[in-house]
């Protein structure tokens, strides 16, 4: 419906008899955090959900720049994190500089 929960963010799961759907919350940027949505209606013609929790990246983590996916694998829950690196920015700057020099 909107950028706060329309993009899938992992495997739907059942907890205490309720169905939940993880979704990416991209209100700040792509993959910023995970919204946990309770599915309140699911029929062949209708779907409703409400946000019940948000999973934020740990501020002191190496991967503090975002979360993309939350998925259950048996008894283990996997979460992938985003780490924006200085190298990436430096490569982008170097690439732009090279293009600029070629154009001149």
């Amino acid at each position: 419906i909107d950028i706060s929960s329309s993009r899938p963010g992992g495997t739907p799961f059942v907890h205490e008899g309720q169905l939940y759907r993880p979704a990416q919350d991209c209100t700040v940027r792509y993959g910023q955090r995970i919204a946990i949505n309770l599915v309140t209606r699911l029929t062949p013609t209708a779907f409703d959900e409400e946000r019940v929790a948000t999973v934020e990246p740990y501020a002191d983590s190496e991967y503090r720049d975002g979360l993309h996916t939350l998925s259950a694998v048996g008894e283990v829950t996997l979460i992938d994190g985003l780490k924006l690196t200085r190298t990436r920015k430096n490569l982008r700057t170097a690439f732009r500089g090279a293009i600029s020099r070629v154009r001149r």
Side-chain angles (χ1 to χ4, degrees):
I1 295 171
D2 61 45
I3 62 173
S4 70
S5 68
S6 61
R7 188 174 187 85
T11 309
F13 61 92
V14 175
H15 177 69
E16 297 182 352
Q18 298 286 335
L19 178 61
Y20 294 87
R21 185 183 73 88
Q24 289 184 34
D25 182 340
C26 300
T27 53
V28 176
R29 74 166 165 270
Y30 173 75
Q32 175 63 30
R33 63 184 144 245
I34 299 291
I36 305 296
N37 299 309
L38 172 63
V39 177
T40 57
R41 182 168 49 164
L42 179 61
T43 72
T45 59
F47 174 80
D48 285 313
E49 65 183 1
E50 63 181 69
R51 181 180 294 205
V52 294
T54 302
V55 182
E56 301 276 351
Y58 288 116
D60 59 349
S61 167
E62 186 175 346
Y63 300 95
R64 64 183 165 269
D65 298 313
L67 297 175
H68 186 265
T69 306
L70 182 144
S71 291
V73 180
E75 295 296 314
V76 176
T77 300
L78 303 174
I79 299 175
D80 70 342
L82 174 65
K83 178 181 179 182
L84 298 175
T85 63
R86 188 157 228 227
T87 305
R88 187 178 202 183
K89 292 177 185 175
N90 288 342
L91 287 174
R92 186 179 302 134
T93 301
F95 181 72
R96 287 181 182 154
I99 294 297
S100 178
R101 286 188 296 277
V102 167
R103 287 184 180 157
R104 284 188 247 158

